[in-house]
Each structure stands twice: as structure tokens, then as C-alpha cells.
Amino acid sequence: MTQHQNHNQSNADNGSDTAIALGKGLDVGTANLAAAVQNDEGGITVTVERNAFLDIPSDVYSKNMLTKLKVPYIVHNNKLVVIGEAAFELANVFGRETRRPMSDGLISPNEQDALPMMKLIISKILGEPRVPGENCYFCVPAPSLDVDNNVVYHQGLFESLINKMGFTAHAINEAHAVIFAELAENDFTGIGLSFGGGMANACIAYKSIPCLSFSVARGGDWIDKNVANVLGCPRSKATHIKERGIDIRDPKSREEEAVAIYYRSLINYVLQNIKSRFESGQNMPSFNAPVDIACAGGTSMVGGFIEVFREEFAKIDFPIPVGRIFRSEEALTAVAKGCLVAAAIGEG
Amino acid sequence: MESVNDIKEALSARSRTATLDELRSEGRRRVRLVRAEQIAQMIQEAVHSAVEQSGLIAQEEVDALVEKSRIEFKSILREREAEVQKAHDVAEALAEREAELTELKARFAEVSAALAQTRQQLAQAPAAGGGPSGDMVMSLMQEVANLKASMAHPAQPQVAAAGGGDFSAAIEKLTGTLNDRLEKLGKKMGVSAAVESDAPVDFGGLFRDADKQIESNMANIEVKQKSGGGIAGNLARLKKLKGGG
């Protein structure tokens, strides 16, 4: 019997935990797109690509050069459009801004041209379905507390896109996916936080059931924008400073100081909102034992993040007892992993 | 037409209304019924006879008047027959709607009870170590909302239009009460009672351009891959939670 036989969409019925279950997980992030799938070794393989592109004038020389350098591009409206990480690197070299298909966690209304690019990137990282209609769970942000955003349109758009690729698309809340990935030992009870490029998402779950989900429209891009404003540089440059391996507890330069300040502000903002939502919300669960907080997302990968998070947490009078506060060991790919767990079990 | 109406008005003005019980108490066991149309016809015949005998109007004119009266009478007869048939249809439809309403009320009571029980379980969930899912609550709320919608929109609105005013008012009142209760319940549960369409929104049309053959070297580009820890443990835990392991 092959590994895929008899799995089809009833993955939850699979008796063996070591067999490869069907299903793929897709993190549709503002900054990065990541697809997760179980591999033959019992682990997972995550394919990541930056969700950005850069258009440059189209000529034969540039096209040949990009081909030789293995830089991914497409020709769109008579322009060469460099896609993914390469676009980010080129933008830094030329001091330009990358174009971003998404902003604040959702498809950007200012980048309608970006749909073909996103389709190509997603198609590349997701690959073909292994069986027709294979489950693909993709993450969507929760409704935002601080901006009026249209999650329905965003979700419907990606459902259609993924379905057109031959999968059966299912949406799952981004922070709920973090809980699936990181809080298994707690029976999926606790608080999952996803610090993404466009948003920070929070989900409180009890035994895998989400009790409360929300988001705030601040994330890595918000830090970049503010750092770029105070330093007078392009946002891509600010992103580069942030991602070059700094420690926000010990900034070494004026640029790093700016990044550290806005990181602390972002963490404080998210914590204050969780606290406020806990205190004011109805239907809040009352936990008998302290719950863990799991942080994930690309924005949480900066050095010193979890220590600063704990410092800021200690400053507020959090309304429920909290046990461990930790960052996922695979912070960038935790959401995709959580989506994969949901896809493999058919949960959502 | 007018003469018949005049006769009806005259009869109403010069007669009294009595119930069957009242007539029975007056010692009347049987009553003789006569239609206003028949009285009108008798009067017309009497007038016709008198006019004919008087010699004031020519025979042709009398015949023309008689023919006109006959046509008028047939027209009135057809109208009355149609009204009787309509009243019969309305009565039947009303009976059907009443039966449906009774059934819906019973179903609503069942679902309300289940919802109350679920709500109680949900409130106790953390302490009890398990509980119904948000989906389950949502499903119940949806069912109640659908019932409400069924009761609010009867299948044949002409029933109300054709004279079922009281019935319509009763439904509206009942719907109003249900609405209030649902909204209060929904607010308490943190679940919207709004009825949403099940039909998925298809945004496929937005990718028409994306389906075109695009010149690209993406097929030859290797994408970055990372290995991560397995998910077998997570799946085992989830299965155990779901009662499958």
C-alpha cells in the first residue's frame, strides 16, 4: 500500500501517526509566503518566498542577466518583474522600494496588478496537489481592533486562487495555527501570537477550540515605516537593518536604537490590547491553571524579542495567570506548520 | 350593479342582524334566505312588467333593457362565484400555514432548549474539562435563525393579502418576539444571529488575467526550503482530544 492510499480527505482517521498524511499548509503573510508539507523523513518541509516584487525596464540584456543569475522574473505589461527575495535584494542595491501585494495582513487595494505574481509564487511554493482536491489550509487574519479591514474579500480571493490550483482550500485563523503548531503539549490550550509583517494576531484557545481571536494592524512593516521615517531612508533599508541580526536589548547604533524603540512599542501595544480585550470582553474563558503564551511570526525573530516581550509583560497587570512565555523555535514557519497540522487532521 | 348595491344598502338599513342562537331563542327553527340579487331581479321583473303594461316605452327598448340587465346580472354572478372560490382558497391556505406555524413553534422550542443547554455547557467548559465547540454553538444559532426566517417569510404571501390580516399580524408579532430573544441570546453568547448565505463567494474571475500564459523563468528557479520538526506528536494529541486516539 502506498503512503497516500486510503488517506484522501479523511486524514483524521489515519491510525498511524508516523505515516505521511495528505494536506498542505500555507501561510499567506504580508512579508513572506510559506508552504508546509510532510516529508518522507517524518519531518516537514517548508518552502518560503518573500511576498514582494520589483519592476525594472525590460530589455534583452537585463533578461539574460536575470536568467544567468537564476533570479525569478516574469514579463508583465512589457516590464520585467523580479519576484520574491531577489526583488528585496535588488531594491536594497538600487535604493528603491519593493512593491508589496499585501499590506496590513490583507491583499493590498493599491496593487491590483500583483495577483498574477502572487499566483505564481504560491503555485511555486505549494506545488501540485498530490491527489485531486487535496486539503490546503491557509491562514487568514482575525478581524482587526484598530482598523476597518475586509477579511471576507481577502479570504474569498485566496480560497478561489487555491481551489483553482486543484486543492480544496480551507481558511484558518493565523494565531490559531500558531496554537496548533506550538501548544500541543498543553492540549492546545493557551495564547498564540503571530507577529507578522502587516499585523499581530492573537488567539486564545481552550483544548484547540478558539475562544477569542483578534488582530492589530501593526507588525514588522509598522516598525519599518517608523524607522524609515525617523532615519530618512527607504523602508527596504529599514527592513534590512531589522533583519541583519540585531539584538533589540543591546542596540549598537542609532539605526538599531530606532528599531529597538519601535519593537518595544509594538510589543507593548499588542500586550495592552490583549489585556484590554480580556478585561472587557464577554464569553472569556476562565482558566484554572496558568496558560502558556507562544509567540511566532517573522517579526518575532529579531534577537532579544522574547526577553523584551517578557519585560513588557511584567509591566502590565495581566488578567489571567500565565505560565511559560516562549518563542517558537521555527518562528518564521510556525504558522505554515500549524496550517499543515489543521490540514492533516481536517481541523479548522 | 348600482341597483343591486342600493338594494343591499337599503336592506342593511332596514334590517337587523341576529345570530343563530338569538333566532333560536326567539323560537325560530328555520329561516328563509333570499339573496339581494334575487330581490333585485324581482324588482326588475316587476318594473319591466309595469313598464310594459303602461305602454310608455316601446317593446324594442324594453327588450334592450332586459338584455342589458341580463348581461349585468351574469357579470355580477361571475364576480360572486370568483369571490367564493377565492375565499375557499384562502381558507385552505390559512389552515396550511397554521399547521406549519404550529410545527415551527414546536421545533423552535426544541432548538431553544438545546441552545440553552449548550450555553450552560459552554459556560462550564473550562471547569468541566471539555465543552462544545464554537462551531456547534454557531450551528445551533444558525438553525434558530433559519427557523426565525422561515416563520418571518411565509411561502404564500397572498394569504395575508387576501384577508388573513389577523394571521399576518400574529406572525409579525411572533417574529418580533423571536427576533428580540435571538438578539439577546446572540449578544450573550457572543454569536451573531444574522442569517448569512451559504453560497461561497467566487473570486475566480479576478484571476482571468493570471491564467494567461505569462513569460517567466519561474519553472527553472529553485525555491528556498527549510526542514522542520514533525507534526506526528501534534496530530496524535489532536486525535486524542477529538476522541479518536
Side-chain angles (χ1 to χ4, degrees):
Chain A
M1 192 173 82
T2 66
Q3 284 167 317
H4 296 159
Q5 275 177 337
N6 297 333
H7 283 288
N8 205 351
Q9 299 305 298
S10 58
N11 299 314
D13 298 333
N14 177 12
S16 166
D17 294 331
T18 54
I20 299 173
L22 284 178
K24 293 187 178 182
L26 177 66
D27 175 3
V28 184
T30 308
N32 293 288
L33 296 163
V37 63
Q38 278 194 286
N39 59 34
D40 294 338
E41 288 80 43
I44 64 167
T45 300
V46 187
T47 313
V48 186
E49 186 57 279
R50 202 177 279 269
N51 196 0
F53 63 98
L54 185 74
D55 47 27
I56 56 176
S58 177
D59 56 64
V60 176
Y61 175 77
S62 301
K63 200 186 285 187
N64 288 341
M65 203 62 192
L66 293 177
T67 305
K68 276 182 191 169
L69 294 171
K70 292 190 173 177
V71 171
Y73 70 83
I74 67 167
V75 180
H76 186 66
N77 290 339
N78 298 319
K79 281 187 174 177
L80 276 176
V81 181
V82 179
I83 288 172
E85 186 66 32
F88 178 71
E89 287 165 5
L90 273 178
N92 274 329
V93 170
F94 296 120
R96 286 182 58 190
E97 297 284 5
T98 53
R99 290 174 65 184
R100 307 281 296 278
M102 287 170 58
S103 67
D104 295 340
L106 299 169
I107 195 82
S108 171
N110 302 322
E111 289 289 1
Q112 292 297 325
D113 283 353
L115 285 178
M117 279 60 122
M118 281 200 82
K119 184 170 183 272
L120 270 174
I121 299 176
I122 290 174
S123 178
K124 184 74 183 174
I125 63 171
L126 209 49
E128 297 285 322
R130 288 167 292 181
V131 293
E134 182 180 12
N135 271 339
C136 175
Y137 276 61
F138 69 100
C139 71
V140 291
S144 183
L145 295 181
D146 48 3
V147 294
D148 185 15
N149 47 17
N150 188 351
V151 179
V152 175
Y153 171 71
H154 175 84
Q155 182 175 327
L157 192 77
F158 283 100
E159 259 172 19
S160 298
L161 176 66
I162 294 164
N163 284 334
K164 273 175 89 81
M165 291 175 185
F167 292 92
T168 301
H170 301 270
I172 178 175
N173 174 265
E174 185 174 326
H176 193 198
V178 173
I179 289 169
F180 275 133
E182 300 299 326
L183 293 176
E185 287 176 11
N186 305 59
D187 273 348
F188 306 98
T189 296
I191 300 173
L193 298 177
S194 172
F195 289 87
M199 286 183 147
N201 270 269
C203 178
I204 293 100
Y206 176 76
K207 290 191 184 295
S208 84
I209 299 166
C211 307
L212 173 72
S213 303
F214 64 89
S215 66
V216 290
R218 286 188 191 179
D221 289 348
W222 179 82
I223 295 174
D224 296 346
K225 186 182 81 177
N226 284 288
V227 170
N229 280 348
V230 296
L231 298 181
C233 66
R235 283 188 201 182
S236 303
K237 173 79 174 168
T239 310
H240 178 68
I241 295 166
K242 197 180 70 184
E243 294 183 0
R244 71 185 176 199
I246 69 167
D247 189 324
I248 54 174
R249 287 169 302 173
D250 184 23
K252 298 276 191 290
S253 63
R254 182 169 163 265
E255 288 94 344
E256 292 187 7
E257 188 71 56
V259 170
I261 287 167
Y262 284 107
Y263 251 107
R264 196 174 282 276
S265 172
L266 171 70
I267 291 167
N268 182 268
Y269 182 71
V270 172
L271 279 170
Q272 290 291 355
N273 273 290
I274 298 173
K275 176 180 181 250
S276 159
R277 198 69 183 77
F278 255 111
E279 286 172 344
S280 64
Q282 288 184 329
N283 314 312
M284 291 305 302
S286 53
F287 296 101
N288 295 329
V291 294
D292 288 356
I293 297 179
C295 298
T299 300
S300 73
M301 291 173 72
V302 73
F305 178 90
I306 205 67
E307 290 79 9
V308 171
F309 188 97
R310 287 179 188 135
E311 283 172 22
E312 291 299 314
F313 182 84
K315 289 179 190 170
I316 61 171
D317 183 19
F318 207 68
I320 60 165
V322 168
R324 270 194 321 151
I325 296 174
F326 67 99
R327 182 182 61 187
S328 165
E329 288 177 11
E330 300 156 336
L332 184 63
T333 58
V335 172
K337 182 179 175 180
C339 292
L340 175 61
V341 172
I345 201 96
E347 182 64 71
Chain B
M1 297 276 273
E2 281 176 11
S3 61
V4 175
N5 289 334
D6 290 344
I7 290 162
K8 281 181 178 174
E9 281 175 18
L11 285 172
S12 293
R14 291 168 178 78
S15 61
R16 68 183 176 95
T17 304
T19 65
L20 292 176
D21 289 339
E22 286 167 350
L23 291 173
R24 197 174 289 117
S25 67
E26 291 170 10
R28 297 176 200 273
R29 299 284 176 212
R30 294 168 66 85
V31 290
R32 190 174 291 276
L33 301 176
V34 59
R35 286 176 172 273
E37 288 83 357
Q38 288 168 334
I39 294 172
Q41 195 176 357
M42 285 189 285
I43 293 169
Q44 278 179 348
E45 283 170 4
V47 170
H48 179 260
S49 174
V51 168
E52 196 176 2
Q53 286 171 13
S54 70
L56 293 173
I57 303 174
Q59 184 60 39
E60 294 77 30
E61 287 181 40
V62 172
D63 291 342
L65 277 171
V66 168
E67 184 57 28
K68 191 181 171 188
S69 302
R70 190 173 287 120
I71 290 168
E72 192 177 340
F73 171 73
K74 282 182 180 173
S75 167
I76 291 167
L77 185 64
R78 275 196 296 274
E79 277 178 24
R80 293 297 169 265
E81 282 173 350
E83 278 175 12
V84 169
Q85 184 59 43
K86 203 171 180 181
H88 178 71
D89 292 345
V90 168
E92 275 189 356
L94 190 60
E96 277 177 27
R97 294 285 79 75
E98 278 173 350
E100 198 177 310
L101 183 64
T102 307
E103 197 182 320
L104 285 171
K105 275 180 184 170
R107 181 74 188 123
F108 178 73
E110 275 176 31
V111 175
S112 294
L115 190 61
Q117 192 182 355
T118 305
R119 185 182 155 207
Q120 197 177 0
Q121 286 174 354
L122 196 64
Q124 295 167 351
S133 69
D135 285 350
M136 190 175 154
V137 178
M138 193 64 196
S139 161
L140 277 167
M141 286 298 294
Q142 190 66 46
E143 196 172 346
V144 176
N146 287 342
L147 272 171
K148 181 204 74 177
S150 305
M151 296 172 88
H153 299 96
Q156 295 176 351
Q158 70 267 29
V159 171
D166 293 343
F167 177 65
S168 176
I171 286 184
E172 274 180 24
K173 192 178 172 188
L174 182 62
T175 306
T177 311
L178 286 176
N179 267 333
D180 291 346
R181 288 179 62 186
L182 272 172
E183 277 169 21
K184 279 180 191 168
L185 199 59
K187 280 175 190 167
K188 282 182 187 171
M189 298 290 294
V191 180
S192 168
V195 181
E196 286 193 39
S197 168
D198 290 336
V201 184
D202 184 9
F203 290 99
L206 291 174
F207 298 106
R208 227 170 271 140
D209 289 343
D211 289 341
K212 288 178 190 166
Q213 195 62 39
I214 296 172
E215 185 186 343
S216 165
N217 67 345
M218 287 287 278
N220 305 319
I221 302 293
E222 290 288 321
V223 283
K224 258 193 310 187
Q225 290 193 325
K226 298 180 178 200
S227 292
I231 58 169
N234 304 51
L235 294 179
R237 286 269 185 175
L238 265 176
K239 280 177 194 165
K240 198 176 169 188
L241 266 186
K242 287 162 78 92

